[in-house]
């Protein structure tokens, strides 16, 4: 049996945090939680977390400030910010995904978490490291292999 993936949920709203914890726990995740940024940093430093799910609007330290600090500790851990697109603004965020809290269904959120928390593996057996002709030099704003967003991303 595979070990459960550990998700750090951060939200200053106890009710929303409880709903997230219940949803994730009933879907096979181990959940650790924090009510604010400083508490989350302490937990993150002591626990091998597979993904961080944070609310944007929190007192003391907002979600973007928290994610920036956590990325300094472990940049490889995927991080999702949930919030109101109008409050998050249009500046560059440190999170790997921004999701509009009110427009994202629980199923869509679970799908995004599943994809983002998947362990990265090397190339498939037999796959060569060569780039097919005509592909080299192409640039794309979408990460290769990244799924199309199902939740309406925060603007």
């Amino acid at each position: 049996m595979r070990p459960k993936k550990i998700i750090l949920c951060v939200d200053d709203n106890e009710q929303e945090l409880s709903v997230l914890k219940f949803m994730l726990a009933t879907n096979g995740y181990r959940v650790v939680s924090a009510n604010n940024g400083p508490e989350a940093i302490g937990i993150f430093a002591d626990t091998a977390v597979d993904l961080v799910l944070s609310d944007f609007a929190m007192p003391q330290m907002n979600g973007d400030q928290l994610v920036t600090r956590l990325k300094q500790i472990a940049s490889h851990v995927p991080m999702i910010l949930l919030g109101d697109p109008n409050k998050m603004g249009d500046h560059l965020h440190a999170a790997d995904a921004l999701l509009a809290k009110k427009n994202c269904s629980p199923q869509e959120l679970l799908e995004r978490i599943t994809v983002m928390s998947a362990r990265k593996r090397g190339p498939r057996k037999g796959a060569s490291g060569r780039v097919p002709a005509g592909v080299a030099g192409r640039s794309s704003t979408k990460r290769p292999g990244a799924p199309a967003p199902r939740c309406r991303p925060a603007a």
Side-chain angles (χ1 to χ4, degrees):
M1 184 172 170
R2 285 188 300 189
K4 292 182 179 183
K5 301 218 184 230
I6 301 171
I7 298 180
L8 172 59
C9 290
V10 189
D11 199 326
D12 60 314
N13 182 321
E14 275 295 329
Q15 186 175 7
E16 290 185 19
L17 189 59
S18 292
V19 169
L20 273 176
K21 286 167 50 176
F22 178 78
M23 179 186 72
L24 293 169
T26 57
N27 281 280
Y29 293 98
R30 183 169 159 240
V31 182
V32 290
S33 62
N35 293 316
N36 57 54
E39 183 183 352
I41 292 169
I43 292 170
F44 190 80
D46 295 337
T47 309
V49 171
D50 294 297
L51 184 132
V52 175
L53 185 60
S54 177
D55 183 33
F56 178 79
M58 295 186 293
Q60 294 177 330
M61 175 184 292
N62 73 29
D64 192 45
Q65 294 166 331
L66 170 64
V67 166
T68 300
R69 295 277 300 276
L70 296 181
K71 285 289 188 181
Q72 291 171 350
I73 298 169
S75 62
H76 66 281
V77 176
M79 301 188 192
I80 301 173
L81 270 179
L82 293 169
D84 179 356
N86 297 325
K87 291 181 182 174
M88 287 196 268
D90 59 356
H91 68 279
L92 191 59
H93 295 278
D96 298 297
L98 302 173
L99 301 178
K101 199 174 205 176
K102 302 296 180 195
N103 297 340
C104 194
S105 74
Q107 186 60 38
E108 290 170 329
L109 180 58
L110 281 170
E111 287 174 11
R112 179 63 67 99
I113 289 169
T114 301
V115 169
M116 291 183 71
S117 67
R119 301 246 186 252
K120 303 292 184 260
R121 294 191 172 97
R124 292 184 195 156
K125 287 185 179 181
S128 69
R130 297 189 323 237
V131 176
V135 174
R138 286 187 193 168
S139 66
S140 172
T141 56
K142 182 182 168 196
R143 291 187 317 247
R150 297 185 65 112
C151 297
R152 193 171 86 191

